[in-house]
Structure formats: C-alpha cells, structure tokens
Amino acid sequence: ALCLVDGRQSPIVDEECSATPTLSVIYITKRPGGYDVLFESLAQQTVQDYELISIDDLSHQRNVAAVEYAAKLKIPLKAIIPSKPKLRGKRFGQCNAINTGLMLAVGEFITVVQDNIWLPSHFLERTLSFFTRGPGVEHRDALLSYPERRVAPP
C-alpha cells in the first residue's frame, strides 16, 4: 500500500502503512526511466519483508506510472516523493535525497541502492543475513556498502 505520494498522504492508505518491515530499501533517482531495472529485480527477491522508499525529483511527472508499475510487480512501494529542498547549488543533492529517505524509513534495518542497478534475487536476503548473524553478532550500527558491478539483467 502506498502511503505517501509527493509528500501527501495517499488516498489508498490501509493497515500496511503502519506495518513495520524488517528492511527499508531507499533509492534515489532523477533520471528518466529510473524504475524499470530496479523494480524488475525487486520483484524476484527471495525475501519480501521490506518497504521501498523512492526519492525521485521527477515524481510529480511520473508517480502514477511508478505506482502502477510497482503494484503490477507486487513491489511494496511505501513512498514516492521528491527530495527535501537543497539550500545551496543547483545540482541534485544525493545527501539531501538519502536524508529524506532516512526520515521516512521505518524498517529495523536500512539499505540504500541505486536506481539503475539489477539486484541478484538473493540481495535482500543476504543484506538481512549480514545484519542479523545471530545472537551477539548483530551489525546494527554498520554501514553496508556493496561494490558496484555492471551486470546485464537476465
């Protein structure tokens, strides 16, 4: 269930908006076509206990299409909003965008991914495995960063 669209409460709000997933996945985009590859790979994940938060400076132009695409693929898209305003400079502020996503995330763990990347089907499972390796071995305060690899989707 989509909870926020362009910073406004969605008319489709239900009990899923208040549910707390184990993992919040944040991605930021400003490029045309910033959904296709990521959404297709998220639809094939072995773990579904996550929420997707989209920080998209073009959301006002394409939020309807993104919401429909996510629904078609059964992606748990919880928010699609533009980044908080940038105070200096005119370039896209990645830090502002990530901070916007962090403010919306409710998952126990948070990961940030790129919009133009294909995630292997076990990506979310391995991410959660890293954070929850067992009693006394949890990495709650770790920043998990993956090297970028260019891989063509299957």
Side-chain angles (χ1 to χ4, degrees):
L2 188 68
C3 303
L4 287 175
V5 178
D6 282 343
R8 293 182 301 279
Q9 193 77 19
S10 169
I12 318 170
V13 174
D14 62 18
E15 65 279 351
E16 287 185 36
C17 288
S18 59
T20 303
T22 303
L23 184 65
S24 293
V25 178
I26 300 168
Y27 82 100
I28 59 175
T29 187
K30 185 180 174 178
R31 69 177 184 85
Y35 297 97
D36 48 0
V37 174
L38 179 63
F39 278 26
E40 290 289 337
S41 66
L42 284 171
Q44 297 178 26
Q45 293 299 303
T46 56
V47 169
Q48 296 299 314
D49 183 17
Y50 72 97
E51 67 178 357
L52 181 64
I53 298 169
S54 170
I55 308 303
D56 181 2
D57 280 359
L58 300 177
S59 65
H60 63 283
Q61 298 171 2
R62 58 182 175 190
N63 62 34
V64 172
V67 169
E68 289 173 356
Y69 194 38
K72 175 184 167 194
L73 296 174
K74 298 184 173 130
I75 304 291
L77 180 62
K78 293 295 176 92
I80 177 170
I81 64 170
S83 178
K84 66 182 185 131
K86 191 164 184 232
L87 301 177
R88 287 175 283 191
K90 296 184 180 183
R91 297 183 54 185
F92 181 55
Q94 288 185 326
C95 293
N96 279 356
I98 291 171
N99 286 338
T100 301
L102 291 173
M103 290 187 305
L104 297 171
V106 297
E108 187 176 351
F109 305 105
I110 301 170
T111 191
V112 180
V113 297
Q114 294 179 330
D115 64 343
N116 62 345
I117 194 163
W118 180 266
L119 303 174
S121 61
H122 60 280
F123 176 84
L124 296 181
E125 180 181 354
R126 290 188 67 198
T127 299
L128 285 172
S129 173
F130 172 83
F131 284 121
T132 58
R133 291 187 185 243
V137 192
E138 294 179 347
H139 295 97
R140 293 196 181 274
D141 298 324
L143 174 61
L144 185 58
S145 178
Y146 294 93
E148 182 178 333
R149 293 184 183 157
R150 301 282 179 182
V151 179

